[in-house]
């Protein structure tokens, strides 16, 4: 029978020995005995149900992308439709950031609610908020109703941004977890691309912005209806003692898994998957928060998770997402909205690249290649801005020549390279955050990380234009390049390779240190075992 990893960690053995031992035992069993073992579950192919669950959950990602993406064009098209006057700069900023603020608050509560009431119910609740917020905006005639609608929609965005990757990673077979979570990221970047494209299309339509916003009613309605018929995750069900339901979901999400194997898996999960102790939801949440800060492995997970989300936002990508049209306009492009679609398209295409490499190459390696790529692109961009000769004054750009110069082209190319290297690395790895936390603190832990993401997004979107004015474009992009350098150091020392590990194993890895070396060794052995198992299957 399977020897459980958690048992082998009862003593204070050196982690690298332990992890190797766990791998050896499981793999030896799997490869040489060739019958039911955990490695079979690790490598199980996604069933049709897993794919359906992933795609339906990823609708949350699409809404995240669409709702953050449509606002830049909507603001241009709104004209005097609200309060019969042109929107002031402050009002525009307020309308834009209301969603980020709502998302920040929504993310904080989503984690706690997900642990208490289940992932499925919280997703259904987020749909109601999406519909409510979108309906308010579509029919509104005043600035304040628009802001209110964006704020309510923001709650839905924040909740969805946390629950979708959590739900996917808890239902996915281990070997495919990374890729399946990237499908949610693809939906985010795809949603942004679609919003940019439709936005460009409705620019000249009367009330076109209402159509743009109104379309966002469709995805949450579809997700609500479909989720009604889908199950909650096995890990959540086990934490609530619903073992039979959990077995049924596991059997339907892992191809060719025998009843004995499912039984063993449920037993293994039951050891680590527990609900937080406490007599009521508030005490339970408080206990989870305490555990997160006082148990060293949980705290390490928190440092990594929040660190990753912070790096994703503070290295400045969203400044391009929100303001690329403004930048391209200032360097001389006439159809700047169309040109900025290139940024959204690059982001989408390189997220597809991530989909293919994340489980094969590993999260750590793609970060260690992607971040230096971003840094070099930003340095080139900063140099190009210096020679281009541009000054941002009071939100407008003063250029000392007419038209696009060679340096203008260098700026665009470097921005595209920055986007590409961002998109296949830090653009999506932080969303693998659920794999860092053990079940009883997963909801609260991922809430911290997601809130860090939205806080970063809020800071960048509300300070970028001011930075251009105060410290120049060269200064701004050099600052982001400097942050890339610091991020590289952080990842080098603190981010272990988590690809191929069972969710329950990550905790053991983070016991006693960040264990970078052990994690790399474990990942290597896992790959080797997978190859062996495959060749055994073929023979
Ligand atoms: O992973 C996503 C993606 O990279 C989006 O393009 C970006 O706008 C979000 O802020 C980020 O969380």
């Amino acid at each position: 029978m399977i020897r459980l990893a958690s048992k082998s960690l009862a003593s204070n053995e050196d982690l690298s020995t332990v992890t190797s031992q766990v791998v050896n035992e499981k793999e030896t069993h799997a490869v040489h005995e060739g019958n039911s073992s955990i490695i079979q579950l690790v490598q199980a192919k996604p069933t049709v149900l897993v794919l359906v669950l992933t795609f339906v959950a990823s609708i949350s990602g699409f809404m995240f992308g669409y709702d953050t993406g449509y606002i830049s064009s909507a603001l241009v098209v709104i004209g005097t439709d609200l309060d019969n006057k042109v929107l002031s700069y402050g009002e525009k900023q307020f309308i834009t950031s209301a969603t980020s603020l709502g998302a920040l608050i929504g993310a904080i509560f989503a984690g706690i609610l997900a642990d208490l009431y289940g992932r499925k119910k919280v997703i259904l609740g987020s749909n109601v908020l999406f519909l409510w917020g979108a309906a308010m905006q579509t029919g509104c005639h005043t600035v304040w109703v628009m802001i209110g609608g964006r704020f309510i929609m923001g709650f839905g965005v924040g909740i969805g941004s946390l629950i979708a990757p959590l739900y996917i990673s808890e239902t996915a077979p281990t070997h495919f977890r990374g890729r399946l979570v990237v499908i949610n990221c693809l939906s985010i970047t795809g949603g942004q691309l679609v919003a940019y494209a439709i936005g460009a299309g409705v620019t000249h339509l009367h009330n076109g912005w209402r159509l743009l916003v109104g379309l966002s009613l469709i995805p949450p309605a579809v997700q609500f209806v479909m989720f009604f018929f889908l199950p909650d995750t096995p890990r959540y069900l086990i934490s609530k003692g619903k073992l039979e339901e959990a077995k049924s979901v596991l059997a339907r999400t892992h191809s060719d898994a025998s009843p004995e194997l499912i039984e063993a898996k449920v037993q293994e999960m039951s050891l680590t998957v527990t609900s937080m102790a406490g007599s009521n939801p508030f005490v339970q949440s408080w206990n989870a928060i305490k555990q997160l800060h006082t148990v060293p492995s949980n705290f390490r997970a928190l440092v990594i998770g929040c660190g990753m989300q912070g790096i994703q936002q503070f290295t400045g990508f969203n400044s391009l997402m929100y303001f690329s049209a403004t930048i391209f306009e200032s360097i001389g492009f006439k159809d700047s909205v169309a040109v900025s679609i290139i940024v959204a398209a690059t982001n989408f295409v390189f997220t597809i690249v991530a989909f293919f490499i994340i489980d094969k190459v590993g999260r750590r390696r793609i970060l260690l290649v992607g971040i230096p790529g971003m840094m070099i692109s930003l340095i080139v961009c900063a140099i190009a801005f210096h020679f281009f000769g541009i000054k941002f004054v009071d939100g407008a750009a003063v250029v000392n020549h007419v038209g696009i110069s060679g340096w203008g082209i260098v700026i665009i190319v470097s921005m595209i390279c920055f986007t590409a290297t961002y998109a296949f690395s830090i653009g999506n790895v932080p969303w693998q955050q659920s794999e860092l936390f053990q079940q009883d603190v997963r909801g609260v832990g991922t809430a911290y990380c997601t809130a860090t993401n939205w806080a970063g997004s809020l800071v960048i979107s509300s300070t970028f234009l001011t930075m251009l004015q105060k410290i120049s474009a060269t200064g701004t992009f050099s600052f982001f390049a400097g942050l890339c350098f610091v991020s590289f150091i952080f990842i080098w020392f603190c981010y272990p390779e988590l690809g191929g590990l069972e969710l329950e194993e990550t905790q053991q890895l983070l016991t006693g240190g960040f264990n970078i070396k052990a994690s790399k060794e474990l990942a290597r052995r896992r790959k080797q075992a997978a190859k062996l198992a495959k060749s055994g299957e073929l023979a």
Side-chain angles (χ1 to χ4, degrees):
M1 205 68 241
I2 303 162
R3 173 137 129 61
L4 299 178
S6 42
K7 281 187 195 158
S8 53
L9 280 180
S11 65
N12 280 336
E13 294 167 75
D14 167 41
L15 182 99
S16 54
T17 326
V18 173
T19 44
S20 317
Q21 184 191 332
V22 172
V23 177
N24 278 336
E25 284 176 12
K26 287 177 182 172
E27 285 162 8
T28 309
H29 194 84
V31 177
H32 297 298
E33 294 187 15
N35 55 22
S36 59
S37 93
I38 207 153
I39 204 81
Q40 241 174 283
L41 272 188
V42 167
Q43 293 191 321
K45 293 224 165 64
T47 59
V48 174
L49 180 66
V50 171
L51 296 179
V52 172
L53 292 175
T54 304
F55 280 104
V56 178
S58 297
I59 295 177
S60 295
F62 182 85
M63 291 183 289
F64 168 173
Y66 190 85
D67 295 340
T68 51
Y70 75 64
I71 196 61
S72 62
S73 15
L75 288 177
V76 178
V77 194
I78 279 176
T80 55
D81 287 355
L82 301 180
D83 292 327
N84 292 321
K85 64 176 182 72
V86 176
L87 294 175
S88 72
Y89 184 63
E91 284 168 337
K92 282 188 180 184
Q93 251 185 331
F94 217 169
I95 292 174
T96 309
S97 49
T99 297
S100 300
L101 185 63
L104 173 57
I105 301 170
I108 293 171
F109 288 107
I112 295 170
L113 294 174
D115 278 351
L116 295 175
Y117 305 110
R119 287 71 173 120
K120 175 177 163 166
K121 280 192 192 140
V122 181
I123 288 197
L124 291 174
S126 78
N127 291 140
V128 175
L129 294 165
F130 271 119
L131 291 170
W132 182 9
M136 261 174 86
Q137 293 169 65
T138 312
C140 78
H141 293 278
T142 67
V143 171
W144 279 107
V145 178
M146 182 77 179
I147 291 173
R150 291 276 302 165
F151 184 63
I152 292 172
M153 176 183 259
F155 270 81
V157 173
I159 294 172
S161 67
L162 182 144
I163 305 287
L166 173 65
Y167 184 88
I168 296 170
S169 69
E170 284 191 347
T171 41
T174 310
H175 202 55
F176 290 84
R177 189 176 64 230
R179 259 170 284 177
L180 294 176
V181 173
V182 175
I183 289 185
N184 186 55
C185 297
L186 262 175
S187 305
I188 301 175
T189 53
Q192 286 170 331
L193 183 58
V194 170
Y196 268 49
I198 300 182
V202 300
T203 319
H204 304 294
L205 286 184
H206 175 59
N207 270 330
W209 68 273
R210 290 190 199 273
L211 177 67
L212 186 61
V213 182
L215 285 173
S216 72
L217 286 159
I218 301 171
V222 172
Q223 195 186 39
F224 186 88
V225 173
M226 296 194 73
F227 242 112
F228 221 80
F229 301 100
L230 296 174
D232 215 312
T233 72
R235 287 177 173 86
Y236 170 75
L237 293 168
I238 290 174
S239 76
K240 296 291 163 193
K242 298 179 180 172
L243 299 191
E244 289 311 310
E245 249 183 88
K247 276 182 207 163
S248 138
V249 180
L250 274 173
R252 287 185 291 151
T253 49
H254 291 75
S255 56
D256 304 327
S258 63
E260 296 75 39
L261 191 55
I262 297 290
E263 183 64 44
K265 182 69 191 163
V266 169
Q267 275 178 28
E268 185 204 25
M269 282 183 176
S270 306
L271 284 180
T272 47
V273 171
T274 47
S275 212
M276 186 48 71
S279 51
N280 66 54
F282 296 104
V283 178
Q284 286 177 347
S285 307
W286 178 239
N287 284 341
I289 292 171
K290 271 200 298 200
Q291 289 256 4
L292 212 46
H293 290 88
T294 51
V295 176
S297 59
N298 286 344
F299 191 68
R300 276 184 205 103
L302 192 64
V303 169
I304 297 173
C306 292
M308 287 292 116
Q309 290 287 14
I311 293 173
Q312 185 193 76
Q313 293 303 320
F314 287 103
T315 44
F317 170 73
N318 275 325
S319 60
L320 293 193
M321 204 65 227
Y322 298 136
F323 304 112
S324 55
T326 314
I327 299 172
F328 292 149
E329 194 176 26
S330 37
I331 59 175
F333 279 94
K334 286 215 170 62
D335 203 350
S336 55
V337 175
V339 181
S340 68
I341 291 182
I342 297 178
V343 170
T346 308
N347 193 19
F348 178 67
V349 170
F350 279 85
T351 312
I352 300 180
V353 174
F355 174 81
F356 287 107
I357 62 174
I358 193 157
D359 285 324
K360 289 202 183 106
V361 178
R363 291 109 168 100
R364 183 177 155 85
R365 260 205 244 160
I366 61 176
L367 287 172
L368 292 177
V369 172
I371 302 276
M374 287 164 65
M375 189 174 82
I376 294 167
S377 312
L378 285 167
I379 294 173
V380 173
C381 185
I383 295 173
F385 263 113
H386 175 75
F387 288 107
F388 185 80
I390 189 169
K391 222 174 164 196
F392 291 86
V393 199
D394 290 334
V398 181
V399 185
N400 51 17
H401 56 86
V402 183
I404 312 154
S405 72
W407 286 113
I409 304 288
V410 177
I411 291 174
I412 294 211
V413 172
S414 61
M415 282 184 176
I416 290 173
C417 292
F418 170 66
T419 305
T421 42
Y422 161 89
F424 77 71
S425 61
I426 196 76
N428 58 75
V429 173
W431 291 115
Q432 306 283 339
Q433 58 195 18
S434 316
E435 67 190 10
L436 293 164
F437 300 97
Q438 68 187 34
Q439 175 73 23
D440 51 3
V441 294
R442 190 170 294 143
V444 177
T446 50
Y448 271 74
C449 304
T450 313
T452 307
N453 177 291
W454 286 108
S457 160
L458 198 61
V459 170
I460 290 294
S461 59
S462 53
T463 56
F464 178 68
L465 291 177
T466 315
M467 281 175 80
L468 289 185
Q469 285 174 43
K470 301 271 184 233
I471 60 167
S472 82
T474 302
T476 305
F477 290 109
S478 307
F479 176 70
F480 289 145
L483 288 180
C484 282
F485 180 71
V486 177
S487 307
F488 182 83
I489 310 265
F490 175 82
I491 291 165
W492 183 270
F493 288 107
C494 301
Y495 189 84
E497 184 51 78
L498 302 174
L501 296 196
E502 282 282 335
L503 289 182
E504 287 68 29
E505 287 172 325
T506 324
Q507 280 308 300
Q508 294 137 35
L509 191 76
L510 292 175
T511 304
F514 288 103
N515 287 308
I516 308 291
K517 224 171 154 191
S519 77
K520 288 199 291 192
E521 177 62 11
L522 195 53
R524 196 185 60 77
R525 284 166 182 263
R526 273 285 148 85
K527 249 192 220 158
Q528 228 172 30
K531 264 193 206 145
L532 267 170
K534 213 170 183 185
S535 56
E537 245 170 49
L538 292 177

